[in-house]
Amino acid sequence: MIDAVDWTAVITGVDWTTVLVALVTGLTAAGGPYLIWLKQAKSERRSVRAALLAEVSALIEIVEIRGYLRDLRAAEATLSNLEQWQLDTLSSDDFQFQVPIGEHYNRVYQSNVNRLGSLSAREARMVVRFYQLADSVKADISEGGVLFSGSLGAEDFKDAADILETAMELGRQFVDSTPWWQFWHRGHFVDAGSDVKSGGSSQ
């Protein structure tokens, strides 16, 4: 017959302080790298979002200031109101829409395209669609594009205007979707350009 173990004596003899210290030390060692990763991921997410917000906001502002959408709609309206005999007297060179745009107009997006996963799924979709639509308009109004070369087709101008308008709506949604508290960091507001501001003055 096996003698019963006196567990009371075993438990009483355990140095629980030592056990707890060992457990805490082990958990800290295991969880430390994970906490560091979480902090780095949060910092990267804030950095990527702020950089993209700055570029998207700037592109929307440029389009608005230079009146690209307004001018595309004006050309569409003018051509739509012309009779065929009037169109026959015109040349496609009379309706050119030329905007030289550099390849790096979206350099922030290009630099962060591999880090879009740090954004929410909804934000990533908006950003990708915004730049795809912007690239489509760029192709039309840059050298070699249908509007750059000139067109008497009202639909060509309408298509470009519709795409540009959709891109701007997406860009505004992306900018407006970021709540103010995501720019609150260590008691300061961080603007889209990653500058820390407090009381309206730059630090």
Side-chain angles (χ1 to χ4, degrees):
M1 181 176 179
I2 300 175
D3 295 334
V5 177
D6 186 355
W7 290 105
T8 303
V10 173
I11 294 174
T12 302
V14 174
D15 186 347
W16 289 107
T17 300
T18 302
V19 172
L20 289 174
V21 169
L23 285 173
V24 170
T25 302
L27 289 173
T28 301
Y34 178 70
L35 293 176
I36 292 174
W37 176 83
L38 282 179
K39 184 176 181 180
Q40 291 175 338
K42 183 178 180 181
S43 177
E44 179 177 274
R45 181 164 56 251
R46 182 186 294 114
S47 175
V48 171
R49 182 185 288 110
L52 289 170
L53 281 170
E55 184 169 78
V56 170
S57 297
L59 290 173
I60 291 174
E61 186 175 3
I62 290 171
V63 170
E64 291 175 338
I65 291 175
R66 296 186 176 177
Y68 292 151
L69 181 58
R70 176 200 62 210
D71 293 345
L72 286 169
R73 291 298 187 197
E76 174 198 348
T78 299
L79 290 169
S80 296
N81 291 326
L82 293 178
E83 300 289 343
Q84 185 58 50
W85 67 268
Q86 293 174 304
L87 291 173
D88 292 339
T89 65
L90 298 173
S91 167
S92 59
D93 291 342
D94 296 325
F95 283 85
Q96 293 177 326
F97 198 96
Q98 300 179 343
V99 182
I101 302 175
E103 290 298 321
H104 301 295
Y105 83 96
N106 59 348
R107 66 181 61 198
V108 172
Y109 173 72
Q110 292 178 15
S111 298
N112 289 281
V113 69
N114 292 327
R115 298 199 292 170
L116 293 180
S118 64
L119 303 177
S120 69
R122 179 172 178 270
E123 288 176 329
R125 283 195 299 270
M126 285 192 292
V127 169
V128 171
R129 285 193 63 206
F130 171 81
Y131 283 102
Q132 286 180 333
L133 293 172
D135 280 341
S136 177
V137 176
K138 174 181 176 293
D140 285 342
I141 63 180
S142 298
E143 187 172 0
V146 60
L147 298 184
F148 187 95
S149 300
S151 174
L152 295 178
E155 283 298 317
D156 291 334
F157 287 91
K158 181 182 185 303
D159 288 345
D162 288 346
I163 293 172
L164 180 57
E165 189 169 38
T166 301
M168 293 181 68
E169 289 175 357
L170 281 170
R172 293 190 186 101
Q173 287 176 23
F174 172 58
V175 173
D176 294 341
S177 70
T178 304
W180 66 268
W181 51 263
Q182 291 192 10
F183 293 108
W184 184 256
H185 181 58
R186 295 182 180 178
H188 302 286
F189 278 109
V190 182
D191 67 12
S194 297
D195 296 326
V196 178
K197 295 185 176 181
S198 177
S201 60
S202 299
Q203 298 294 312

